[in-house]
Amino acid sequence: MARCYPIPSDAVFESNAELRVYEALAEKLGSDYVILHSVAWISRPGKDGPREGETDILIAHPTRGVLVLEVKGGRVSLDYSTLSWTSIDGNNKIHKIKNPFDQARRGKFALLEKLKENPIWKKMNIGRFNLGYAVFAPSVGDGDRLSGPDAPVEIIGDRRDLNSIDVWVERVFDFWSQNDRANQPIGMRGVDGLVALFARSVSTRPLLSARIADEDDFRLSLTTRQAAILDVLRRQRRVMIAGGAGTGKTLIAREKAVRLASEGMRTLFICYNRGLADHLRELCSGIEGLDVATFHQVCHRWITLVKSKYGRDLMSEARVEIPRGNEFDHHMPLAFANAVDILGPRYEAIIVDEAQDFGDEFWLPIEMLLTRPEEAMLYIFLDENQDIYGRSAEIPVQGEPMVLDRNCRNTDAIHAVAYNHYRGALVDPPEINGADVECLFASDIHKQTKLIGTLITKLIVEEHVAPHDVAILLCDVGDRTMREALLQKLPLPSSVLLGRIEDFGPGQLTVDSVARFKGLERPVIVLWAFDNCSVSADRETLYVGMSRAKSLLYLCGSREACDRILSIVT
């Protein structure tokens, strides 16, 4: 049986015709064949702008080559006098259709263009190889009548070929190979390269390399919805994706950024929080053509570059232009826009994570960075419930966002308490039940610190949880220095080092604010410093803080405060 991407039982077919052909190919072709269904791509923007390509089915073989296959259902008819094609469905309704041979031929050349620009394919140094196209009409019993000057009978399949479709495929490959005997085999490296480009499987790993083994087994694969959105992003240039905490926004954003860069597009992946940017940069290290930074880090680089090259102090100019403006919200975005205007655009694709935190002034310079704003790629990910910086951004994408609606990070128990503070479209809970959320009750900060110390010691010594799998997050940072000092005085195990996000590493237990921890996660979260929080005014902070926990969530505060933030919010 051939290797299929996806397997027939998981594939979504636009017609029964595609299903019949795909299943027949899967059953009849040998294991050295690879079959990909519903393949689509956008070639890199060039002189004539981006080019879109697609094919119903792609067949690859290490020695025979690659075949682009167009499938047409119904009773297909052709009038050569008018060059019009029609299909008659089961209800005898006539539908005008495109010339399937033109579609297959265009798919062939668009595929070749995509392969030539792809860095993975180029590194394999595959020269001329057997690349053909064909049309299959499984509801037609006399496909020969569709033949013509541009449609030789050798590349037409019909119902008679279904039971021996392996023989038919070999015949089509032979037809194309005899036209150019200088072709070389693509080998298994070539076949695997096609899979990597068009059917790459995606697995998550914990964002900061921390796993609690049993539960993380359920988090490894993309959900169907996440995979579907990645598929849609192959076909569209400007998309907004929204979802609650833990629905996989950052995972998809990172995966899309890596794919675009791997396909040869100069790509920028930006977010708001430095902690998230630092970690994403580490995850994406070694990816050629991919820059990862916060918005303000990008601002700083461009402003500095203009100053070094041209001697202009764009920040001083911005302060003069907006005398009452804020350094980060007004002066830096304006100076950044002026820098891009001077230096010119740079990127063919931009991925924005945490877009809910981007101010209105951020978007102009972002769009200016695109080499072809109307045709380049701009993908924006956001969670309106995480707007804890109180921004209201005019995001430059028309229409409603695509929505991620399954929580894939937390357990069901954590989801229940975190999403109690969520406002928005329904998000389905995860499939992991998990342990109950626990409260550490104490009336004052000194007693609370001791309870946290006892808990950390138990987790590290008795439960063998790694220190870097734990984070203590502060909702209110008004007395942050005192809390950090009290924690430093605790008699913790010698293997534990306390530090902030940027100190993360083996043995480092993170102590930081909820706001700085946005976009990140840990298997174990201790939420602290919420005694003075209001359920209504601080709803987003509570939502973000609780939802950072993957497997275990502890709330440390007074009994009244814990009861208050765990109560049902209406």
Side-chain angles (χ1 to χ4, degrees):
M1 184 174 179
R3 284 193 289 155
C4 298
Y5 298 89
I7 61 175
S9 60
D10 289 345
V12 177
F13 297 92
E14 293 186 0
S15 69
N16 287 330
E18 287 184 23
L19 171 61
R20 292 167 64 191
V21 173
Y22 195 63
E23 288 183 336
L25 290 168
E27 179 183 353
K28 296 293 184 180
L29 294 183
S31 58
D32 46 355
Y33 277 95
V34 164
I35 311 168
L36 298 97
H37 173 252
S38 188
V39 179
W41 60 90
I42 300 177
S43 298
R44 179 181 181 180
K47 274 187 178 180
D48 301 324
R51 293 188 180 90
E52 298 178 3
E54 63 178 339
T55 183
D56 292 334
I57 296 174
L58 194 65
I59 303 172
H61 189 275
T63 58
R64 291 192 169 274
V66 180
L67 182 64
V68 173
L69 182 59
E70 187 72 23
V71 179
K72 289 298 176 185
R75 301 197 303 275
V76 181
S77 299
L78 162 65
D79 185 345
Y80 266 107
S81 65
T82 60
L83 296 180
S84 62
W85 289 79
T86 58
S87 173
I88 304 175
D89 63 22
N91 297 318
N92 287 322
K93 289 185 177 181
I94 299 176
H95 305 273
K96 287 186 178 181
I97 61 173
K98 296 178 181 179
N99 182 335
F101 295 96
D102 279 348
Q103 288 181 284
R105 183 166 47 250
R106 287 197 302 270
K108 165 187 169 177
F109 289 111
L111 174 66
L112 185 60
E113 181 181 63
K114 182 65 178 177
L115 293 177
K116 285 182 177 178
E117 74 175 27
N118 181 255
I120 297 175
W121 189 267
K122 287 192 289 189
K123 287 180 181 178
M124 289 188 283
N125 292 318
I126 296 175
R128 293 165 63 178
F129 64 97
N130 190 24
L131 175 59
Y133 64 90
V135 172
F136 207 104
S139 299
V140 171
D142 50 351
D144 297 357
R145 65 184 177 82
L146 300 176
S147 63
D150 63 343
V153 68
E154 289 88 350
I155 64 170
I156 302 173
D158 60 28
R159 186 171 58 222
R160 297 170 297 179
D161 298 305
L162 277 175
N163 289 331
S164 56
I165 200 167
D166 51 336
V167 176
W168 177 81
V169 168
E170 292 179 359
R171 189 168 69 240
V172 175
F173 273 122
D174 289 342
F175 170 79
W176 288 108
S177 64
Q178 69 184 359
N179 293 337
D180 191 347
R181 300 193 179 277
N183 288 328
Q184 68 179 84
I186 64 173
M188 283 309 302
R189 290 176 66 239
V191 173
D192 292 340
L194 286 169
V195 173
L197 180 57
F198 296 119
R200 182 177 173 187
S201 60
V202 183
S203 296
T204 66
R205 63 186 179 90
L207 196 57
L208 294 174
S209 305
R211 299 187 178 186
I212 293 185
D214 290 342
E215 292 182 355
D216 269 4
D217 287 344
F218 290 92
R219 298 185 178 104
L220 292 179
S221 298
L222 287 172
T223 67
T224 302
R225 181 62 171 160
Q226 290 170 337
I229 285 183
L230 265 174
D231 182 63
V232 168
L233 296 188
R234 291 188 302 176
R235 306 163 188 260
Q236 298 188 28
R237 298 187 183 95
R238 285 202 176 207
V239 186
M240 180 165 52
I241 300 95
T247 54
K249 298 182 299 300
T250 299
L251 165 67
I252 297 176
R254 174 170 60 89
E255 180 62 25
K256 186 60 182 177
V258 170
R259 289 189 183 188
L260 288 169
S262 299
E263 291 172 13
M265 295 190 188
R266 188 70 188 181
T267 303
L268 174 64
F269 186 12
I270 56 174
C271 60
Y272 189 84
N273 257 26
R274 179 176 174 178
L276 178 59
D278 291 346
H279 185 67
L280 290 172
R281 191 180 303 111
E282 180 183 348
L283 289 178
C284 298
S285 63
I287 305 297
E288 186 177 351
L290 176 59
D291 295 333
V292 184
T294 69
F295 173 80
H296 291 103
Q297 285 173 336
V298 179
C299 290
H300 179 73
R301 291 173 191 169
W302 283 69
I303 295 167
T304 302
L305 183 58
V306 168
K307 190 169 186 177
S308 65
K309 290 186 68 173
Y310 301 102
R312 286 183 60 180
D313 188 343
L314 296 180
M315 283 298 291
S316 294
E317 295 176 20
R319 293 185 189 106
V320 172
E321 188 167 342
I322 313 176
R324 296 185 179 181
N326 175 275
E327 180 96 346
F328 295 99
D329 295 343
H330 302 101
H331 298 153
M332 289 188 77
L334 176 59
F336 180 24
N338 290 334
V340 179
D341 193 41
I342 293 168
L343 299 172
R346 177 176 177 82
Y347 296 101
E348 295 159 313
I350 297 179
I351 312 293
V352 181
D353 197 13
E354 302 184 302
Q356 71 278 352
D357 295 329
F358 281 46
D360 292 347
E361 292 78 7
F362 293 18
W363 295 106
L364 174 61
I366 288 174
E367 288 196 277
M368 291 174 66
L369 282 173
L370 293 169
T371 53
R372 301 173 65 93
E374 298 302 319
E375 298 171 339
M377 317 299 174
L378 179 60
Y379 302 119
I380 297 173
F381 295 79
L382 77 160
D383 178 356
E384 294 177 348
N385 281 269
Q386 289 192 30
D387 185 14
I388 62 177
Y389 294 108
R391 302 184 184 278
S392 176
E394 293 294 330
I395 295 174
V397 173
Q398 300 297 318
E400 293 297 315
M402 301 185 67
V403 177
L404 290 164
D405 53 9
R406 167 71 71 177
N407 184 344
C408 307
R409 173 194 295 150
N410 313 127
T411 63
D412 184 57
I414 296 169
H415 174 93
V417 298
Y419 273 77
N420 193 24
H421 301 275
Y422 171 86
R423 299 292 178 271
L426 179 66
V427 174
D428 292 332
E431 297 177 356
I432 306 169
N433 291 328
D436 292 339
V437 175
E438 293 189 30
C439 293
L440 309 176
F441 298 126
S443 57
D444 64 69
I445 188 173
H446 295 86
K447 293 177 180 178
Q448 292 170 5
T449 305
K450 290 181 179 179
L451 286 177
I452 291 175
T454 301
L455 171 66
I456 298 302
T457 301
K458 178 181 178 182
L459 290 173
I460 303 302
V461 175
E462 298 181 18
E463 303 296 339
H464 303 289
V465 175
H468 59 263
D469 284 348
V470 184
I472 301 171
L473 301 184
L474 309 178
C475 294
D476 183 349
V477 294
D479 55 359
R480 173 179 184 156
T481 302
M482 181 176 66
R483 291 178 187 267
E484 289 177 333
L486 289 173
L487 289 171
Q488 291 288 355
K489 294 177 181 179
L490 289 172
L492 297 174
S494 59
S495 60
V496 178
L497 301 173
L498 300 180
R500 296 190 178 180
I501 293 170
E502 51 269 25
D503 302 317
F504 179 78
Q508 286 281 353
L509 190 154
T510 300
V511 182
D512 219 317
S513 68
V514 169
R516 294 192 75 228
F517 205 76
K518 281 189 62 191
L520 303 175
E521 60 187 27
R522 290 286 193 278
V524 183
I525 293 292
V526 181
L527 195 64
W528 196 22
F530 52 79
D531 282 2
N532 297 321
C533 286
S534 163
V535 170
S536 56
D538 300 301
R539 176 181 62 81
E540 290 163 350
T541 298
L542 296 171
Y543 162 70
V544 173
M546 292 178 181
S547 62
R548 301 307 94 195
K550 294 172 61 179
S551 296
L552 298 171
L553 173 61
Y554 299 90
L555 308 178
C556 183
S558 68
R559 182 179 295 274
E560 186 275 332
C562 290
D563 289 345
R564 184 173 67 249
I565 69 172
L566 289 175
S567 63
I568 300 297
V569 180
T570 58

